[in-house]
Amino acid sequence: MTRRWIIAWLALGSLVTGVRAAATGDTPALQRFAFTEPHMGTLFQIVLFAPEASAAQAAASAAFARIAELNRLFSDYDPDSEVSRLSRAPVGTPVKISPELAELLQRSQTVARQSEGAFDVTLGPMVRQWREARKTGLLPDPTAREEARQATGHRYLQLDPVTSTVVLARAGMRIDLGGIAKGYAADEALAVMKRRGLPRAMVAASGDLALGDPPPGKSGWTVEIAPFGRASDIPLTLVVANAGISTSGDTEQAVEIGGVRYSHIVDPATGLGLTKPVAVSVIARDATTSDALATACSVADGLVIERLIAAQTDAVRILHHQPRSDGSVERTLYGRDPAGLVSRL
């Protein structure tokens, strides 16, 4: 899975003060539990409130198992994953896919259309080239870049949601779900815990957060965002519940080639990493949505972002950050505060 670093400081260690919530009537006291496991090229952290350790452990284990299951479907690093097999399918051949991949591709294609191609899961050939460039410090050959560009384009991924089949209509097309899969996995893990009767939970994947019901006695989960990860930055503190938050940026994965600083985030127009320093935070109804929109809005300009927001069914808040020459940060707000954002912007 392509690792999209999230440059946000998330106050996971200080989300809640105190370990126990007082019992009411016959309801047992809830205790705070935290668990961490490596998945999808990053660390997934789960924080949840449960009446006892055994219930918390069982729920967290089931949630991590679901994340691992999804990674076996979505990872483009695993040659045996479902998405890797799909990328090897003959051009123009309908391929039956799992319900999970069908849902994720459908949601991806929606964002691709709404963002006018700023978000595009068919960029696999470009992403692979750029991974190699970041390792070697050499820009991809222009001819190779053009060949990769010819193999991409969300319009050439043809999904039939009725039959759960997909056709890749361009030779060499490869699917890369790195800009949406972690958010989706976090949402799925949160859903597992809710089905087990533990809705007061959150899942963090790098910087994608899926937040459930708030901790006992709180109106929401406290999250601090410092988009460029600098000690001098004053973090923005948010209180959020039943929502997703994602931050996309290039602070930790940028590379300098030929005197130019490039991001790990690939620009679909050039096949190279973005050269503008930017960080985007998104608060949406779920982490799948926030993950995809954060990726799209790192690439899109202000007009496209406005049109993207207008196309959303639910309220979305987007915080676009760019550093000024004096070291301060310019923050531009787009959209509306979603219902899950307790502290208003």
Side-chain angles (χ1 to χ4, degrees):
M1 191 69 61
T2 298
R3 187 171 182 177
R4 179 177 58 75
W5 279 91
I6 304 304
I7 314 306
W9 187 76
L10 304 169
L12 303 179
S14 58
L15 286 169
V16 184
T17 57
V19 176
R20 289 183 177 272
T24 57
D26 296 329
T27 303
L30 296 178
Q31 303 177 61
R32 180 185 184 275
F33 298 91
F35 306 89
T36 303
E37 284 191 9
H39 293 280
M40 293 186 169
T42 190
L43 291 177
F44 274 73
Q45 180 177 15
I46 289 173
V47 176
L48 74 157
F49 288 81
E52 57 186 11
S54 59
Q57 181 65 68
S61 296
F64 285 133
R66 179 58 172 161
I67 295 168
E69 177 186 19
L70 293 173
N71 190 54
R72 288 191 290 271
L73 299 178
F74 300 152
S75 174
D76 70 310
Y77 284 100
D78 179 0
D80 297 321
S81 71
E82 182 178 20
V83 78
S84 293
R85 296 195 305 272
L86 172 62
S87 295
R88 294 194 297 268
V91 177
T93 302
V95 177
K96 186 78 172 179
I97 56 177
S98 66
E100 292 92 342
L101 183 55
E103 179 185 2
L104 200 57
L105 287 179
Q106 186 169 21
R107 295 184 68 168
S108 296
Q109 290 294 86
T110 297
V111 177
R113 290 189 295 270
Q114 293 172 342
S115 68
E116 302 172 31
F119 179 84
D120 190 345
V121 297
T122 73
L123 296 183
M126 290 183 178
V127 171
R128 287 199 161 200
Q129 276 190 0
W130 192 238
R131 285 177 190 162
E132 186 64 22
R134 290 167 57 206
K135 290 179 183 177
T136 63
L138 300 174
L139 292 178
D141 175 78
T143 301
R145 279 168 51 196
E146 177 59 21
E147 290 176 354
R149 190 187 68 80
Q150 290 292 332
T152 67
H154 67 90
R155 296 180 300 278
Y156 304 107
L157 188 157
Q158 299 161 2
L159 178 66
D160 187 338
V162 177
T163 61
S164 288
T165 58
V166 65
V167 173
L168 304 185
R170 283 285 177 97
M173 181 177 283
R174 298 189 65 88
I175 306 303
D176 185 292
L177 299 170
I180 191 172
K182 289 197 297 293
Y184 182 84
D187 284 335
E188 287 290 296
L190 187 64
V192 167
M193 292 182 285
K194 285 185 176 181
R195 288 194 294 270
R196 288 175 168 262
L198 300 176
R200 298 185 185 275
M202 58 140 284
V203 183
S206 190
D208 296 309
L209 278 175
L211 303 169
D213 289 355
K218 303 290 181 179
S219 59
W221 300 86
T222 300
V223 180
E224 292 188 1
I225 299 176
F228 295 103
R230 302 177 305 194
S232 59
D233 291 343
I234 300 174
L236 175 66
T237 301
L238 304 175
V239 179
V240 189
N242 294 304
I245 304 180
S246 298
T247 299
S248 179
D250 64 357
T251 298
E252 295 186 24
Q253 291 205 77
V255 63
E256 185 171 311
I257 302 176
V260 178
R261 186 179 186 276
Y262 294 93
S263 168
H264 72 292
I265 303 170
V266 173
D267 184 346
T270 66
L272 304 176
L274 296 175
T275 57
K276 60 177 182 180
V278 63
V280 177
S281 299
V282 178
I283 306 137
R285 63 185 175 89
D286 54 50
T288 308
T289 302
S290 63
D291 193 4
L293 294 187
T295 302
C297 293
S298 296
V299 177
D301 61 26
L303 291 176
V304 173
I305 292 174
E306 292 282 10
R307 291 194 287 268
L308 174 60
I309 290 172
Q312 303 305 305
T313 303
D314 300 299
V316 172
R317 175 62 81 185
I318 296 174
L319 297 80
H320 191 276
H321 307 90
Q322 282 191 291
R324 296 189 181 99
S325 58
D326 63 1
S328 62
V329 176
E330 178 182 357
R331 178 185 297 141
T332 304
L333 298 182
Y334 296 92
R336 297 178 292 118
D337 290 350
L341 182 57
V342 180
S343 55
R344 296 296 165 179
L345 291 173

